Amino acid sequence: MTSSLPSSSSTPLATVAATHADVASATAPARWRVADVVALYELPFNDLLFRAQQVHRANFAANTVQLSTLLSIKTGGCEEDCSYCPQSVHHDTGLKADKLMPVAEVLAAARVAQQQGATRFCMGAAWRNPKDRHLEPIKEMIRGVKALGLETCVTLGMLERHQAEGLREAGLDYYNHNLDTAPEFYGQIITTRTYQDRLDTLERVRDAGINVCCGGIVGLGESRRERAGLIAQLANMEPYPESVPINNLVQVEGTPLAGTEALDPFEFVRTIAVARITMPRAMVRLSAGREQMDEALQALCLLAGANSFFYGDQLLTTSNPQAVTDRRLLERLGMTAEHVQARPAA
Ligand code: SAM
Ligand code: DTB
Ligand code: SF4
């Protein structure tokens, strides 16, 4: 029998605490060892999904999903060399670099997203890090989107402490910044910023009082153990992120990862289930790669505990299923979008 409980014996902190058992149970954070997460991955598929469903139902309405719409507010020309990303200047993908979008255009797109039924609007910029002068229009966007009654999320790269605080003051609800993969595999994917840089930004976001949206990307050629390593990193954050996007690599011609062997679809579903079990109260978001999945596979991801997805015809630079197709899928599954349930009965 494999254990799916987080271990309290793998870290120096937990080891010290274990010698004071009473205190330990009150103060030592539960830790997931990579081996514990691998053990979850290795469960028979049906057992894993059953456990994920139990955890999901204990924490969320089982048939409700949250819908977020993405907008690329500054596309391309990014200095980082993330080898999956079409927006990096290091790869020739034929993408044209744009300037920051005008505030009015962003707000017009947010209105459309809201009319379509999204409850959160996520704005992404292809920056290594924003300059202070960029943050003024972005704060206007945040205030404008919030005034419409939508939740706000931005992803702008690395942040300084004062920048995170400024975004919080503008009313930002979520900041997206991913760990992307396991620490030991990270160097094969990105060389222009370190894992620690990412952790530092995440800490600044957390300290500023902004909800953390942090996940990763699979299908990069990593091993199962490395996928488990990513999940353990996320689950051991204190606290773990409120929102966990799980991206499946969208292969873009011209990026170094184009041509990578595709992940077994059931391994993707397992990743969702393992995220759900290790982070019971997080919103687990079925993110990039959905257009390449058939609807049965998406339904399995929802069964495995995903309770949010990107909604709208476009992700940042690649396409996403049509909104009308997604609405039909939810209807066929007897599921409802969050905002519909939140409305008082007529
Ligand atoms: N530049 C910012 C940053 O990296 O923090 C924000 C935008 S970046 C596009 C956000 C995330 O999108 C990445 O961390 C990665 O997980 C995901 N992503 C980027 N390109 C992708 C691709 N081709 N397929 C799947 N996910 C991708
Ligand atoms: C995240 O984890 N996935 C989204 C969002 N955060 C910003 C981005 C997916 C990008 C997919 C590739 C593209 O469209 O450029
Ligand atoms: Fe730049 Fe983000 Fe793409 Fe990396 S993932 S190249 S940081 S836009």
Side-chain angles (χ1 to χ4, degrees):
M1 175 74 196
T2 45
S3 162
S4 68
L5 289 175
S7 164
S8 61
S9 62
S10 60
T11 62
L13 174 60
T15 309
V16 172
T19 58
H20 308 280
D22 296 345
V23 182
S25 58
T27 59
R31 304 281 301 179
W32 284 94
R33 293 177 312 172
V34 176
D36 299 330
V37 181
V38 169
L40 285 176
Y41 265 99
E42 285 175 355
L43 286 172
F45 190 75
N46 287 350
D47 292 349
L48 176 61
L49 258 64
F50 180 66
R51 278 161 74 162
Q53 258 294 301
Q54 283 177 311
V55 174
H56 192 185
R57 283 168 184 266
N59 291 286
F60 290 100
N63 297 299
T64 306
V65 288
Q66 187 273 329
L67 305 179
S68 299
T69 294
L70 260 179
L71 178 70
S72 180
I73 57 171
K74 193 270 161 203
T75 303
C78 182
E79 297 155 46
E80 304 281 355
D81 69 353
C82 310
S83 50
Y84 48 75
C85 185
Q87 304 200 65
S88 164
V89 287
H90 300 265
H91 323 315
D92 185 8
T93 58
L95 191 77
K96 177 172 132 319
D98 272 343
K99 289 210 169 74
L100 185 62
M101 249 170 106
V103 176
E105 278 179 38
V106 173
L107 296 186
R111 265 182 227 107
V112 173
Q114 187 175 37
Q115 281 155 10
Q116 297 264 1
T119 55
R120 188 178 306 163
F121 194 64
C122 307
M123 296 163 272
W127 282 320
R128 174 175 164 76
N129 54 272
K131 300 197 168 63
D132 283 347
R133 70 181 157 81
H134 289 137
L135 290 182
E136 291 316 310
I138 287 183
K139 289 180 200 167
E140 261 187 74
M141 293 171 194
I142 293 169
R143 285 189 283 263
V145 172
K146 262 192 102 70
L148 296 174
L150 286 165
E151 287 183 316
T152 52
C153 177
V154 297
T155 177
L156 315 170
M158 294 184 287
L159 289 185
E160 300 288 340
R161 196 163 285 279
H162 72 278
Q163 295 180 318
E165 284 161 4
L167 291 171
R168 176 66 212 147
E169 278 156 24
L172 182 66
D173 297 303
Y174 289 82
Y175 193 82
N176 168 242
H177 197 63
N178 292 341
L179 288 180
D180 274 349
T181 191
E184 65 274 20
F185 188 65
Y186 183 89
Q188 291 186 47
I189 301 299
I190 299 140
T191 68
T192 49
R193 69 178 166 199
T194 65
Y195 215 74
Q196 190 58 47
D197 288 334
R198 295 198 183 222
L199 291 167
D200 291 347
T201 289
L202 289 164
E203 189 181 305
R204 290 170 194 147
V205 168
R206 176 62 77 204
D207 288 351
I210 302 168
N211 290 306
V212 171
C213 172
C214 179
I217 171 168
V218 294
L220 304 172
E222 75 286 345
S223 64
R224 175 178 271 185
R225 193 175 174 80
E226 287 158 348
R227 284 187 282 283
L230 164 68
I231 299 289
Q233 283 286 332
L234 295 168
N236 288 333
M237 287 168 76
E238 293 167 33
Y240 57 75
E242 282 76 17
S243 168
V244 179
I246 305 289
N247 298 278
N248 198 8
L249 175 67
V250 177
Q251 301 200 8
V252 179
E253 214 46 59
T255 60
L257 291 182
T260 305
E261 192 183 344
L263 192 67
D264 173 354
F266 297 132
E267 187 70 7
F268 186 81
V269 179
R270 283 180 186 275
T271 303
I272 299 269
V274 169
R276 166 53 63 224
I277 293 168
T278 55
M279 294 172 273
R281 298 197 54 77
M283 299 300 288
V284 175
R285 188 187 320 279
L286 174 53
S287 302
R290 211 158 54 77
E291 202 184 27
Q292 291 70 27
M293 299 174 191
D294 64 24
E295 294 194 324
L297 180 59
Q298 294 181 53
L300 269 183
C301 292
L302 296 171
L303 185 69
N307 59 350
S308 165
F309 59 74
F310 285 122
Y311 174 68
D313 309 350
Q314 185 82 3
L315 290 166
L316 291 175
T317 66
T318 65
S319 57
N320 198 43
Q322 301 279 310
V324 61
T325 312
D326 280 341
R327 284 197 296 271
R328 211 179 319 121
L329 175 64
L330 290 181
E331 201 183 314
R332 285 164 68 208
L333 298 175
M335 299 185 83
T336 43
E338 191 180 63
H339 77 291
V340 176
Q341 280 221 335
R343 245 184 237 151

